[in-house]
């Protein structure tokens, strides 16, 4: 275990460092002078200079980089130029939407995908399998934002069961908040569920062709017992990988869905930051998202070791 | 009294017949050997008896275990029989165990699944059974995982699993084929002991006649889904009434006719060769190394066949790669024709003098190329392809017993034996003087193997080739080599004329190796020389 | 059967794009305010949008945009990813392999949509920048698939035979490895092609893809968003075009994989 842990931890730190450099370069170096970029072409040299000072964009690049990274490590994500408030506060506020939305979507997608994947694998080549696989083909082909629009047309505009957009906040209790997140979560979950189902099915089928399943059958286990006792755990690694990828994808990738439903989430924060040229927000929030992906991947790799004894060295 | 009675068992898979009216009987305490080449239907017979045939299989005939008809038995009843009344052991111990579960849990599961014991009791029995198969508690606690065990140890776990409930019938499908010869001997001993002690019937499926000769009381020879001959083992071995049986047995210890003309010119000399691999480093620890080949020296003379035998992990394949100049040495030297150093950077012209044939007839060829292009590939070693390249390819194909027209076909159109012939043609195309044969006949069925050995000897005679013949199989080495080297743990432990080393081994390891090799009792095959 | 359905769907989509070069029911950019927001009719098969433009014509020309973006993005991914993957496999275990692999991991760690948006915002929104953004994320995908396939081939004896014939890494990679991973690449190519179409639609939807007047399915959907209550059919047709196209490509990819996998072919 220690060696596996140590090497994973090493690559975690290295990835974070490289990612921060890449983001810094894309945001602060490639566009030329960030202050000019933020103010636009019509700004006078004086106002640009003033902005540069107020954002701490003076001094040599390496120093600015270190200052930024140092700030991130101590929880100081800088100050938003458009909102004039600390970015950290903005992020915390937005996470109250993005995190529940992500978890909600993942729960929905897992609840759908796990049984569907197992059913398809168990009934391989028969009617149920063909039906599930056909549905997943459709599921991966549907763009989630279009699906979201259809949901709005049907459930919000026609049936008026759920709100068409906006988020009431958690102040009014759990239920109104969940109501506001339901359509976006369904829109996000369906394509993910389709992918997860396919992975679950193929991982199970792969495992079922292994010799040790035949050994289990020779011991007197029925096909179903062999799947439950020996198949599932061995099929878990690819499924875990996809779950990890989906968590990070949903956390950041809800941008478009948040736009469809006017949700004040992290994705919208970045999107607004980009359209309003608020580089400080963009730089810090993108870094946070990348860090989240890297940390989730790390957690998934630790989970591998819990599942697979061969990695515990 | 009969334990297992099989009558007119026929199986077709998706309409294609694979078993044709197979009948045999097996008594308690008896070892019944089922022998045949690959594809003869031996494994299918076992799966049919166990009710584990693949989807799309139609079964006809009967199989009765202690009065219970097995064919057509409902799946629930069959599950209750498997593991309790019939135990099954497979060929591949490396993949037969669930990598995620401890060996204790896997053995105990046999008891738990049949409701034969509580969990605590099942683990206690698992301990006993693991002790019985030679995995003692202090070195092999129940909490071990399969990946911490060697192949032979894993096969012992599989046996413990199969005998956990003391079944009446044990079916072992090539149980030792994937194992080294010394491990094989131990596993066969274990099976022999279990049959005697527990009074089980053992159905032993194997391609290896010597294994059957040493273990089985009765034997049946299978070919193309039929039993062609059956009876008490010694009788079958002595009479060989069926033509196929005769051909099979003759091929099994076929010795090609050779007229060695050994010169004194050194073709290949290895001088204190060292192959060292760095091991994964622990932080703050000095680097560690593994020496796969430790100061090995050898000399191959012109026209000679030199054997190199050893078990898996002995370093013989690593040495082969170094000798072929595919990997660099970390010490010592390898020289071709007495002077030119061999290594990854050796000049092409020199490489043309040293070619090889590998083990796997299926992985040895790019499936997208036609045979003519495959055979011609070593022409790359020449500054320009020779003007008569096409003629030379045709000649090489003829040389190995194929037709020149075969050059226009793709490799998947050929059988395993034909592919090895093409591999030999490719090795010969640059007219080399030294050929390394790395387990070149190990993947072949016995009859094909005999033909390839004949071909190799014929080519040696005609072209004056020198062979370095690497194999784990002592009988093959005996048939074709003049001198033999025995390798163990990266070192040559014994060297000498083949007959002397194999008949009167001096080093303890060689003795162990020779003793462990299964043999057909002398006298059983007396009139064989005529064949 | 999936193969044929997929080929037909993808074929229709390509034919639509090609046909649009010579013929569309109406000039795709021609506005006719008097005819705005019409439902499907004999004249306007799929109706008109809020400026009275013909939806069918826009869909046909939009297919061009989708194809162009997806083809170039897959081209970038293959062009850079395949050589990198071959190189990594040829030098397996060396620092080169390590750098290529970790570099791929790193790209995967970036939320692709966010980075695509970042790129298009720094360099300006356009179809070209959308292509670049999508293409860059295709590179590690192809590098991984290539490396994975190549690694298992490198252990085979025919590679040893090629080395005995004096061939080195680059030549072996081109002669022996590439042709034998080609089927993997074709399958992955169709998958990335359909993902490219989805990504282009997403970027255009938020206004960062193809710019007006170039029609694009994603922007048609974005324009329809505010009109959802008024003219829901405007949201329906571009979405269906995307779904059917992607579905067709995926079926085609799966079908090709089954066709080229000899194990699967024998069972069929």
């Amino acid at each position: 275990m220690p060696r596996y842990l140590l090497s994973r931890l090493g690559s975690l730190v290295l990835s974070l460092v490289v990612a921060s450099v890449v983001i810094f370069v894309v945001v602060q170096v490639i566009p030329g002078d960030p202050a000019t970029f933020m103010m636009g072409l019509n700004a006078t040299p004086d106002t640009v200079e003033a902005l540069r000072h107020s954002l701490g964009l003076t001094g040599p690049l390496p120093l600015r980089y270190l200052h930024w990274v140092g700030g991130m490590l101590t929880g100081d994500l800088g100050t938003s130029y458009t909102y004039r408030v600390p970015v950290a506060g903005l992020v915390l506020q937005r996470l109250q939407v993005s995190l529940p939305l992500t978890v909600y979507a993942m729960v929905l997608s897992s609840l759908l995908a796990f049984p569907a994947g197992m059913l398809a694998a168990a009934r391989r080549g028969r009617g149920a399998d063909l039906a599930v696989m056909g549905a997943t083909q459709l599921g991966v082909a549907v763009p989630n934002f279009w699906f979201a629009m259809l949901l709005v047309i049907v459930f919000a505009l026609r049936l008026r069961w759920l709100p068409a957009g906006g988020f009431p906040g958690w102040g009014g209790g759990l239920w109104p908040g969940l109501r506001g997140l339901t359509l976006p979560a369904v829109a996000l979950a369906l394509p993910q569920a389709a992918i997860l189902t396919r992975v679950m099915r193929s991982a199970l089928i792969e495992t079922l062709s292994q010799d040790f399943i035949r050994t289990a059958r020779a011991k007197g286990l029925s096909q179903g017992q062999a799947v439950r006792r020996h198949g599932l755990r061995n099929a878990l690694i690819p499924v875990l990988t996809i779950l990890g990828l989906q968590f990070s994808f949903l956390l950041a990738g809800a941008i478009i869905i948040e736009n469809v439903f006017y949700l004040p989430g992290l994705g919208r924060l970045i999107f607004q930051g980009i359209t309003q040229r608020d580089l400080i927000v963009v730089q810090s929030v993108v870094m946070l998202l990348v860090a989240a992906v890297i940390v989730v991947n790390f957690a998934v790799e630790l989970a591998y070791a819990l599942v697979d004894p061969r990695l515990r060295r | 009294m009969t334990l297992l009675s099989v009558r007119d068992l026929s199986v077709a898979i998706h309409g294609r017949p694979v078993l044709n009216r197979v009948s045999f009987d097996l008594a308690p305490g008896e070892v019944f050997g089922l022998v045949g080449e690959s594809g003869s239907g031996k494994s299918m017979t076992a799966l049919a008896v166990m009710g584990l045939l693949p989807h799309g299989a139609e079964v006809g005939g009967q199989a009765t275990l202690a009065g219970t008809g097995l064919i057509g038995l409902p799946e629930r009843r069959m599950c209750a029989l498997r593991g309790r009344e019939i135990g099954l052991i497979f060929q591949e111990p490396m993949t037969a165990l669930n990598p995620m579960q401890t060996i204790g849990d896997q053995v105990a599961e046999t008891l738990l699944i049949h409701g034969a014991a509580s969990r605590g009791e099942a683990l206690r029995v698992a301990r006993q059974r693991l002790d019985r198969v030679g995995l003692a508690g202090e070195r092999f606690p129940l909490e071990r995982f399969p990946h911490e065990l060697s192949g032979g140890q894993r096969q012992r776990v599989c046996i413990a699993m199969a005998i956990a409930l003391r079944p009446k019938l044990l079916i072992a499908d090539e149980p030792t084929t994937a194992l080294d010869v010394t491990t094989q001997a131990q596993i066969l001993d274990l099976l022999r002991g279990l049959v005697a002690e527990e009074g089980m019937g053992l159905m032993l499926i194997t391609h290896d006649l010597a294994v059957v000769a040493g273990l089985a009381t009765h034997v049946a020879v299978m070919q193309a889904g039929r039993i062609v001959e059956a009876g008490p083992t010694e009788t079958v071995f002595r009479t060989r009434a069926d033509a196929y049986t005769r051909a099979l047995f003759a091929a099994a210890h076929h010795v090609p006719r050779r007229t060695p003309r050994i010169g004194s010119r050194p073709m290949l000399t290895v001088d204190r060769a060292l192959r060292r691999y760095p091991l994964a480093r622990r932080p703050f620890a000095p680097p560690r190394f593994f020496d796969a080949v430790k100061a090995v020296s050898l000399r191959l003379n012109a026209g000679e066949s030199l054997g190199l035998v050893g078990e898996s992990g002995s370093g013989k394949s690593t040495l082969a790669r170094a000798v072929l100049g595919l990997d660099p040495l970390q010490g010592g030297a390898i020289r071709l024709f007495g002077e030119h150093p061999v290594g990854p950077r050796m000049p092409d012209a020199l490489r043309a003098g040293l070619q090889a044939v590998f083990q796997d007839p299926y992985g040895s060829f790019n499936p997208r190329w036609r045979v003519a292009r495959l055979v011609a590939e070593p022409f790359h070693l020449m500054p320009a392809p020779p003007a008569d390249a096409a003629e030379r390819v045709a000649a090489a194909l003829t040389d190995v017993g194929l037709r020149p027209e075969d050059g226009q076909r793709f490799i998947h159109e050929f059988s395993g034996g034909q592919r090895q012939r093409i591999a030999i043609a490719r090795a010969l195309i640059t007219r080399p003087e030294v050929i390394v044969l790395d387990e070149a006949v190990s993947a072949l069925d016995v009859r094909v193997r005999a033909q390839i050995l004949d071909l190799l000897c014929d080519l040696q005679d005609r072209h004056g080739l020198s062979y370095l013949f690497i194999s784990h199989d002592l009988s093959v080495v005996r048939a074709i080599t003049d001198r033999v080297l025995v390798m163990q743990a990266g070192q040559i432990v014994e060297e000498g004329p083949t007959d002397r080393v194999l008949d009167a081994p001096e080093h303890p390891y060689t003795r162990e190796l020779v003793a462990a090799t299964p043999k057909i009792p002398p006298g059983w095959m007396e009139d064989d020389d005529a064949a | 059967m999936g193969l044929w359905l997929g080929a037909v769907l993808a074929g229709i989509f390509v034919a639509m794009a090609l046909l649009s070069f010579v013929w569309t029911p109406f000039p795709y950019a021609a506005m006719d305010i008097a005819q705005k927001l019409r439902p499907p009719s004999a004249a306007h098969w799929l109706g008109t949008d809020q400026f009275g433009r013909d939806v069918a014509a826009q869909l046909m020309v939009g297919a061009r945009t989708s194809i162009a973006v997806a083809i170039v993005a897959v081209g970038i991914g293959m062009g850079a990813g395949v050589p990198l993957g071959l190189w990594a496999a040829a030098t397996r275990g060396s620092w080169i392999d390590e750098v290529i692999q970790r570099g791929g991991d790193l790209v995967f760690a970036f939320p692709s949509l966010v980075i695509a948006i970042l790129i298009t915002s720094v360099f300006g929104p356009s179809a070209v920048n959308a292509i670049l953004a999508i293409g860059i994320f295709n590179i590690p995908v192809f590098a991984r698939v290539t490396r994975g396939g190549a690694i298992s081939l490198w252990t085979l004896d025919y590679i040893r035979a090629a080395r005995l014939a004096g061939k080195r890494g680059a030549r072996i990679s081109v002669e022996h490895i590439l042709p034998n991973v080609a089927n993997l690449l074709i399958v992955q190519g169709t998958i990335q092609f359909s993902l490219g179409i989805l990504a282009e639609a997403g970027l255009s939807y938020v206004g960062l893809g193809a710019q007006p007047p170039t029609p694009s399915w994603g922007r048609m959907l974005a324009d329809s968003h505010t009109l959802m209550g008024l003219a829901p059919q405007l949201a329906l047709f571009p979405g269906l075009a995307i779904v059917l196209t992607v579905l067709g490509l995926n079926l085609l990819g799966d079908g090709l994989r089954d066709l080229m996998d000899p194990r699967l072919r024998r069972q069929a």
Side-chain angles (χ1 to χ4, degrees):
Chain A
M1 187 73 179
R3 195 158 88 207
Y4 180 75
L5 189 76
L6 226 62
S7 84
R8 293 295 107 197
L9 207 60
S11 74
L12 168 90
V13 173
L14 191 68
S15 307
L16 285 174
V17 170
V18 177
S20 67
V21 171
V22 170
I23 290 171
F24 185 80
V25 168
V26 169
V27 174
Q28 293 219 11
V29 181
I30 293 179
D33 177 30
T36 317
F37 180 82
M38 288 167 78
M39 296 294 285
L41 293 173
N42 303 328
T44 64
D46 289 349
T47 51
V48 171
E49 188 59 35
L51 176 68
R52 198 176 287 147
H53 269 282
S54 72
L55 294 179
L57 293 180
T58 50
L61 281 174
L63 268 184
R64 266 158 58 192
Y65 170 76
L66 289 177
H67 184 249
W68 172 57
V69 171
M72 295 276 293
L73 290 176
T74 53
D76 173 12
L77 308 184
T79 305
S80 160
Y81 157 68
T82 34
Y83 297 94
R84 302 280 169 193
V85 290
V87 177
L90 279 176
V91 168
L92 280 181
Q93 204 185 343
R94 299 303 181 98
L95 269 180
Q96 292 177 10
V97 179
S98 286
L99 212 54
L101 179 60
T102 301
V103 174
Y104 196 174
M106 283 192 70
V107 169
L108 285 181
S109 115
S110 304
L111 283 179
L112 215 59
F114 277 64
M118 284 189 239
L119 177 74
R123 297 259 180 283
R124 187 182 182 192
R126 289 184 245 171
D129 181 25
L130 295 181
V132 169
M133 289 311 281
T136 63
Q137 281 286 11
L138 209 58
V140 289
V142 173
N144 58 17
F145 57 90
W146 182 62
F147 185 54
M149 289 169 69
L150 294 185
L151 288 176
V152 168
I153 291 175
V154 174
F155 292 99
L157 301 182
R158 291 282 151 85
L159 299 171
R160 300 188 179 279
W161 289 356
L162 291 160
F167 179 65
W170 299 104
L174 189 65
W175 177 237
L178 275 186
R179 248 174 74 89
L181 293 183
T182 296
L183 285 185
V186 171
L188 284 173
L190 212 73
Q192 303 300 312
I195 297 172
L196 198 58
T197 304
R198 296 178 75 101
V199 172
M200 184 85 200
R201 172 183 180 272
S202 63
L204 264 179
I205 287 178
E206 167 76 27
T207 313
L208 292 184
S209 70
Q210 302 280 322
D211 282 355
F212 61 78
I213 294 292
R214 200 176 55 172
T215 308
R217 300 273 286 132
K219 278 198 260 187
L221 278 77
S222 69
Q223 182 72 11
Q225 284 172 323
V227 172
R228 282 192 295 280
R229 285 165 163 256
H230 296 279
L232 279 182
R233 191 159 173 193
N234 278 282
L236 211 54
I237 284 210
V239 173
L240 272 178
T241 311
I242 295 298
L243 278 178
L245 281 177
Q246 294 197 337
F247 181 81
S248 20
F249 173 82
L250 290 174
L251 196 59
I255 295 188
I256 298 179
I257 291 294
E258 288 175 8
N259 262 315
V260 175
F261 290 97
Y262 308 105
L263 293 178
L266 266 190
R268 245 174 110 69
L269 181 64
I270 299 185
F271 188 64
Q272 286 163 345
I274 286 171
T275 48
Q276 292 160 1
R277 310 196 151 191
D278 192 341
L279 289 181
I280 305 300
V281 166
V282 172
Q283 175 177 286
S284 294
V285 178
V286 170
M287 184 64 220
L288 279 183
L289 284 177
V290 173
V293 176
I294 293 175
V295 170
V296 167
N297 285 349
F298 177 68
V300 168
E301 279 173 345
L302 290 193
Y304 291 167
L306 285 182
V307 175
D308 189 342
R310 285 167 294 186
L311 294 172
R312 285 178 221 153
R313 286 184 212 183
Chain B
M1 193 189 100
T2 343
L3 174 60
L4 176 69
S5 168
V6 173
R7 283 290 167 273
D8 293 331
L9 182 66
S10 297
V11 173
I13 293 180
H14 294 296
R16 194 174 51 87
V18 289
L19 285 187
N20 185 3
R21 301 176 64 103
V22 169
S23 301
F24 60 87
D25 291 300
L26 199 157
E30 178 190 87
V31 179
F32 172 71
L34 198 54
V35 295
E37 296 180 296
S38 48
S40 60
K42 337 182 271 290
S43 296
M44 225 28 104
T45 308
L47 293 178
V49 168
M50 289 294 273
L52 288 175
L53 286 168
H55 287 289
E58 298 155 55
V59 191
Q62 291 171 12
T64 319
L65 178 77
T68 313
L70 299 175
I71 306 298
L73 203 63
E75 177 61 18
R76 278 178 55 91
R77 301 259 329 263
M78 205 65 222
C79 281
L81 282 179
R82 284 186 215 119
R84 181 189 281 278
E85 305 288 331
I86 320 175
L88 183 54
I89 306 163
F90 297 102
Q91 171 173 354
E92 241 332 310
M94 300 313 273
T95 51
L97 295 172
N98 183 348
M100 309 269 184
Q101 262 187 16
T102 63
I103 57 172
D105 282 341
Q106 295 192 53
V107 176
E109 188 177 35
T110 307
L111 296 135
L112 290 172
I113 207 74
H114 291 284
S118 67
R119 195 180 144 72
E121 175 69 11
L123 284 172
R124 210 180 50 73
V125 174
R127 179 70 271 154
Q128 281 174 5
R129 303 266 92 179
L130 283 170
D131 285 339
R132 174 64 191 89
V133 299
L135 300 176
E138 51 277 20
R139 273 191 65 208
F140 302 98
L142 295 176
E143 292 76 30
R144 284 278 196 124
F145 283 99
H147 71 267
E148 299 169 309
L149 307 181
S150 71
Q153 290 160 355
R154 289 186 209 193
Q155 194 61 299
R156 288 171 191 269
V157 176
C158 291
I159 294 174
M161 250 158 48
I163 61 164
L165 279 169
R166 301 172 190 268
K168 298 186 189 109
L169 172 65
L170 188 61
I171 302 180
D173 187 357
E174 303 271 10
T176 56
T177 305
L179 304 175
D180 278 325
V181 57
T182 47
T183 317
Q184 161 169 297
Q186 294 160 9
I187 296 289
L188 292 177
D189 270 346
L190 173 62
L191 289 175
R192 192 181 288 120
L194 284 169
V195 169
E197 248 170 62
E198 317 251 336
M200 283 186 292
L202 172 64
M203 179 169 152
L204 178 72
I205 294 169
T206 180
H207 68 284
D208 191 331
L209 294 175
V211 166
V212 172
L215 202 60
T217 41
H218 286 72
V219 65
V221 182
M222 281 194 86
Q223 185 210 7
R226 290 186 318 122
I227 289 183
V228 295
E229 188 166 356
T233 307
E234 188 175 344
T235 314
V236 170
F237 272 71
R238 282 189 187 276
T239 51
R240 279 163 278 152
D242 182 81
Y244 174 77
T245 314
R246 273 198 299 280
L248 185 71
F249 282 41
H253 53 131
H254 172 75
V255 177
R257 251 177 226 114
R258 306 182 58 225
T259 42
R261 285 189 301 271
I262 302 171
S264 59
R265 190 162 72 99
M267 302 305 287
L268 186 71
T269 39
V270 178
D271 182 26
R272 305 193 58 75
L274 171 71
R275 267 301 278 146
R276 165 171 285 182
Y277 295 100
L279 292 176
R281 270 189 83 158
R282 289 161 200 264
F284 314 113
R288 294 174 307 148
F289 297 99
F290 170 67
D291 291 345
V293 174
K294 306 170 190 162
V296 164
S297 300
L298 64 87
R299 175 187 166 121
L300 172 67
N301 289 317
E304 187 182 30
S305 280
L306 179 63
L308 180 64
V309 298
E311 296 183 297
S312 55
S314 62
K316 59 186 194 306
S317 291
T318 309
L319 180 61
R321 292 180 62 86
V323 161
L324 288 168
L326 295 175
D327 290 339
L329 287 180
Q330 281 69 46
I334 300 173
R335 288 201 176 73
L336 200 54
F337 312 133
E339 43 188 339
H340 311 287
V342 167
R345 309 208 166 276
M346 67 201 271
D348 284 350
L350 192 63
R351 226 178 241 293
L354 171 69
Q355 290 292 307
V357 178
F358 301 113
Q359 172 174 6
D360 180 8
Y362 294 88
S364 284
F365 305 96
N366 184 343
R368 295 181 187 263
W369 284 13
R370 287 178 199 279
V371 165
R373 189 175 174 197
L374 289 169
V375 171
E377 188 172 29
F379 282 148
H380 183 73
L381 292 167
M382 305 185 162
D388 59 344
E391 287 81 28
R392 280 176 65 175
V393 169
L397 287 173
T398 319
D399 228 9
V400 297
L402 296 171
R403 295 166 306 149
E405 306 90 87
D406 290 330
Q408 294 317 305
R409 296 161 70 193
F410 285 101
I411 197 69
H412 67 258
E413 302 172 48
F414 295 89
S415 70
Q418 288 173 320
R419 289 176 197 215
Q420 268 334 49
R421 287 175 189 270
I422 294 168
I424 294 169
R426 173 172 63 189
L428 290 176
I429 197 79
T430 56
R431 297 173 182 154
E433 293 175 88
V434 180
I435 309 249
V436 175
L437 301 151
D438 188 358
E439 302 276 9
V441 296
S442 301
L444 305 175
D445 275 325
V446 285
R447 284 180 307 157
V448 179
R449 172 189 303 179
Q451 292 163 8
I452 298 291
L453 289 178
D454 279 342
L455 172 66
L456 286 172
C457 292
D458 174 49
L459 290 169
Q460 183 170 43
D461 274 356
R462 283 194 282 137
H463 301 296
L465 298 169
S466 309
Y467 288 151
L468 177 59
F469 196 96
I470 297 166
S471 181
H472 70 282
D473 188 336
L474 294 188
S475 66
V476 171
V477 167
R478 186 195 283 273
I480 194 174
T481 65
D482 306 303
R483 234 166 15 106
V484 67
L485 307 169
V486 182
M487 198 162 176
Q488 183 202 17
Q491 283 170 315
I492 306 284
V493 296
E494 185 161 0
E495 175 177 0
T498 304
D499 288 341
R500 200 282 292 154
V501 171
L502 298 186
D503 290 336
E506 284 164 8
H507 190 274
Y509 176 72
T510 317
R511 266 188 233 143
E512 191 189 338
L513 212 55
V514 171
T517 305
K519 284 173 218 52
I520 299 172
W524 282 19
M525 307 282 290
E526 265 156 0
D527 58 340
D528 190 60
D529 294 332
Chain C
M1 199 210 53
L3 177 73
W4 288 110
L5 184 61
V8 167
L9 283 174
I12 290 176
F13 151 75
V14 173
M16 239 166 62
L18 291 178
L19 182 63
S20 75
F21 282 103
V22 292
W23 179 84
T24 51
F26 287 84
Y28 70 88
M31 298 192 198
D32 184 356
I33 299 296
Q35 295 285 323
K36 70 172 183 178
L37 296 179
R38 288 298 161 99
S41 66
H44 295 283
W45 300 341
L46 302 179
T48 60
D49 69 0
Q50 71 275 29
F51 300 113
R53 293 176 297 192
D54 184 59
V55 171
Q58 291 203 52
L59 271 186
M60 287 174 69
V61 183
R64 260 154 49 183
T65 315
S66 290
I67 288 189
V69 170
I71 283 186
V72 182
V74 168
I76 293 174
M78 277 198 182
V82 172
L84 282 174
L86 289 175
W87 196 21
T91 59
R92 182 183 187 179
S94 73
W95 65 269
I96 297 171
D97 180 25
E98 193 67 15
V99 166
I100 292 172
Q101 281 201 78
R102 293 291 88 78
D105 290 350
L106 197 70
V107 177
F108 279 127
F110 283 81
S112 53
L113 193 64
V114 174
I115 300 306
I117 290 175
L118 191 67
I119 289 176
T120 49
S121 66
V122 169
F123 297 100
S126 74
V128 174
N129 286 337
I131 289 173
L132 274 179
I134 301 167
I136 288 173
F137 285 96
N138 277 341
I139 295 174
V141 174
F142 284 104
R144 268 192 191 182
V145 169
T146 310
R147 181 182 180 275
I151 289 272
S152 56
L153 292 178
W154 269 99
T155 62
L156 294 179
D157 277 343
Y158 68 76
I159 303 301
R160 273 211 273 175
R163 291 186 63 201
L164 282 185
K167 293 178 177 172
R168 300 203 183 272
R171 194 179 181 107
I172 291 176
S173 292
V174 172
E175 285 190 352
H176 290 293
I177 306 284
L178 192 56
N180 287 298
V181 294
N183 49 358
L184 292 178
L185 294 178
I186 290 171
V187 171
Q188 194 64 41
T190 60
I191 294 173
Q192 294 310 118
F193 196 90
S194 60
L195 288 178
I197 286 172
L198 285 175
E200 190 276 334
L203 282 178
S204 297
Y205 181 83
V206 292
L208 295 172
Q211 295 300 299
T214 315
S216 129
W217 294 347
R219 229 193 32 262
M220 290 172 76
L221 283 175
D223 291 345
S224 76
H225 189 190
T226 48
L227 303 164
M228 270 192 301
L230 217 53
Q233 80 273 13
L234 283 182
L236 194 63
F237 296 122
L240 275 182
I242 297 173
V243 171
L244 290 179
T245 308
V246 173
L247 185 65
L249 285 167
N250 286 342
L251 289 175
L252 188 64
D254 285 1
L256 285 176
R257 186 195 54 209
D258 295 353
L259 197 69
M260 283 183 286
D261 188 333
R263 282 178 309 166
L264 292 169
R265 192 170 33 195
R266 213 167 295 144
Q267 286 172 2

